[in-house]
Amino acid sequence: VQLQASGGGLVQAGGSLRLSCVASGSISSRGMGWYRQASGNERELVASITSAGSTNYAVSVKGRFAISRNNAKNTVNLQMNSLKPEDTAVYYCAPTTPWGAALLRYDYWGQGTQVTVSS
């Protein structure tokens, strides 16, 4: 299954963006997540959603980001509010473990979508 992330852009601090991920096939049975990688940093999982719809968030984004999924459309979205300059990163849509933790290894990251938050 190929995953295509979109929706990034340049936004001022305090603004909002909505990222979308479209899968080429069914992802209904998989945990899915949004990861991000800022320049010079390791990639981190910021939000995840299990196949049953349970969500989990990194402490840094909790209360500001919301992940959702539509299994009928094979999509996973990330609503990002109250954006901060430190949210600037390339955001990737990718699978997680069934319980929503980051995969230890994943080789199909794609290009991701750039989010830049100006102060």
Side-chain angles (χ1 to χ4, degrees):
V1 174
Q2 292 184 330
L3 301 168
Q4 181 66 49
S6 63
L10 174 63
V11 64
Q12 288 188 333
S16 298
L17 283 174
R18 184 175 177 85
L19 305 184
S20 294
C21 175
V22 180
S24 61
S26 177
I27 54 171
S28 62
S29 64
R30 302 209 64 170
M32 296 296 299
W34 284 94
Y35 300 72
R36 70 184 181 188
Q37 185 168 23
S39 180
N41 289 359
E42 293 187 353
R43 189 176 284 121
E44 62 172 340
L45 177 65
V46 296
S48 65
I49 185 166
T50 68
S51 58
S54 295
T55 59
N56 197 24
Y57 299 93
V59 171
S60 59
V61 307
K62 200 167 189 177
R64 300 188 296 121
F65 289 12
I67 188 171
S68 61
R69 67 189 299 161
N70 185 324
N71 289 332
K73 295 183 178 180
N74 297 321
T75 59
V76 181
N77 296 319
L78 185 68
Q79 178 66 41
M80 305 187 296
N81 299 326
S82 302
L83 283 162
K84 303 176 181 181
E86 51 263 45
D87 294 319
T88 295
V90 180
Y91 284 71
Y92 302 88
C93 172
T96 66
T97 66
W99 51 93
L103 292 177
L104 293 179
R105 178 173 177 174
Y106 184 68
D107 297 327
Y108 308 99
W109 291 102
Q111 293 185 339
T113 186
Q114 175 72 47
V115 172
T116 302
V117 184
S118 63
S119 58

